[in-house]
Amino acid sequence: MNWRVPLADLDYGEDEQQAVLDVLRSRWLTMGSVTRSFEERFAEMHGARFAFGVVNATTALHLACLALGIGPGDEVIVPSLSFVATSNAVLYTGAQVQFAEVLGAHDLTIDPAEIRRLANARTRAVIVMHYGGYPCHMLEITETARQLGLAVIEDAAHSPGAALQGRSLGTWGEFGCFSFFSNKNLSTGEGGMLVTDRADLAQKAQALRSHGMTSLTWDRHQGHAYSYDVVELGYNYRIDEIHSALGLAQLNKLAANNQRRMELSAQYRNRLQETPLFFPFEERAQEPGICAAGHIFPVLLPEGVERRAFMDHLRAAGVQSSIHYPPIHQFTYYRERYPQVSLPLTESLSRREVTLPLYPTMSTADLDLVVESCLRFFDRPQV
Ligand SMILES: *Cc1c(COP(=O)(O)O)cnc(C)c1O
């Protein structure tokens, strides 16, 4: 389908093209100086001590769980209103998940009170997800986790460059896991970053990213090491130089693009206020100390409006929309595995959710088209 306004779009240009060509001409494709620069600059921008480029955020989440020693017999609290990878990463380790509720229509991030409600003797960690690039309530979350002896992993797939009280999202917990998938705020196609401040966890994660090996390709190439040992069952979860080069080019645009996303989000709220649509995070976005990344623009339909009809109406106007997210616990695989789970709030909010187009290169005309088709659906006068 040829959308007039797609859900998301890349901000790619000359810089990205040049960056890839430079790598090709360098004739070094893996674990070289470009990846190292990307990791260093990403760490610096986020105020993290260690950063490791990985294949994608799913592998970052898996590595975080593994480095924390999570495995069979353990449980990890996760929000159900997230992408399925948040939960899958836990199951890869042989541990079980416990699904948590969100705060409500105004804030679709995990309810910190859920951590205490769900935690039991087997619970080892909580994964929180900064929905739409809006910060979870990290003060409450980290304090509760500390009291209960749980590790905190941040699924920061939506939130590169975002912060709460001056501290970057992804650096509040033991680990932060970022995604550079095509439709994310920083895009490399596939790609991700794992960050941590703890040297012990960094060492574990780094070895697990490369087959559990003790010395790395680059060091051997540089003549720093002759051989290597394998000390545990690791994986090959490394990013490569081409994706890292794209990441470096995109990093230069991140702050301005996040700001543009937030401006467009404010314009949406403003121009759609006459409709019965509800805007999650409208207040949260205004709170002092919040620097959000505006990854997506979610709206909630009023009870009783058929979502399918609304999305079909947008589609007819050439406007792509989406759903973030079908609750993880309601997918067939998870229903069969966790048949008892019931999260009424998550279920009802998810049924009403529609995501409107949002991307930094979105023009005023693009926004006009989306706004006008929403107004027309609710039969509101167009301005
Ligand atoms: C995109 C996304 C992921 C997975 O990221 P990949 O890089 O595609 O593996 C995980 N969690 C959330 C919330 C996401 O949006």
Side-chain angles (χ1 to χ4, degrees), residues 62-83:
H62 186 199
L63 286 178
C65 292
L66 291 171
L68 287 163
I70 290 165
D74 296 332
E75 298 191 3
V76 176
I77 297 167
V78 300
S80 182
L81 195 71
S82 184
F83 184 57

Side-chain angles (χ1 to χ4, degrees), residues 104-185:
H106 61 292
D107 189 328
L108 302 175
T109 65
I110 189 170
D111 180 352
E114 285 286 271
I115 300 171
R116 202 173 288 285
R117 179 179 76 84
L118 290 166
N120 63 45
R122 292 177 302 278
T123 310
R124 296 282 315 282
V126 52
I127 304 183
V128 302
M129 196 277 277
H130 304 293
Y131 184 112
Y134 296 89
C136 293
H137 295 254
M138 295 313 294
L139 289 167
E140 293 90 324
I141 288 165
T142 50
E143 177 56 18
T144 306
R146 194 190 59 76
Q147 286 171 11
L148 298 172
L150 307 180
V152 176
I153 299 170
E154 295 171 76
D155 180 336
H158 294 189
S159 53
L164 174 65
Q165 303 191 343
R167 183 164 168 187
S168 291
L169 304 188
T171 67
W172 286 76
E174 269 67 25
F175 279 111
C177 306
F178 293 86
S179 172
F180 309 138
F181 183 65
S182 312
N183 64 8
K184 300 288 161 69
N185 289 31

Side-chain angles (χ1 to χ4, degrees), residues 28-49:
W28 185 267
L29 298 179
T30 333
M31 290 287 107
S33 61
V34 183
T35 297
R36 196 156 293 185
S37 301
F38 183 34
E39 291 171 340
E40 281 169 9
R41 281 207 47 213
F42 194 90
E44 188 186 308
M45 270 185 62
H46 289 83
R49 269 183 82 198

Side-chain angles (χ1 to χ4, degrees), residues 103-108 278-284 300 349:
L103 275 161
H106 61 292
D107 189 328
L108 302 175
F278 183 86
F279 309 116
F281 302 110
E282 183 165 20
E283 286 152 39
R284 186 84 170 135
L300 299 178
L349 293 170

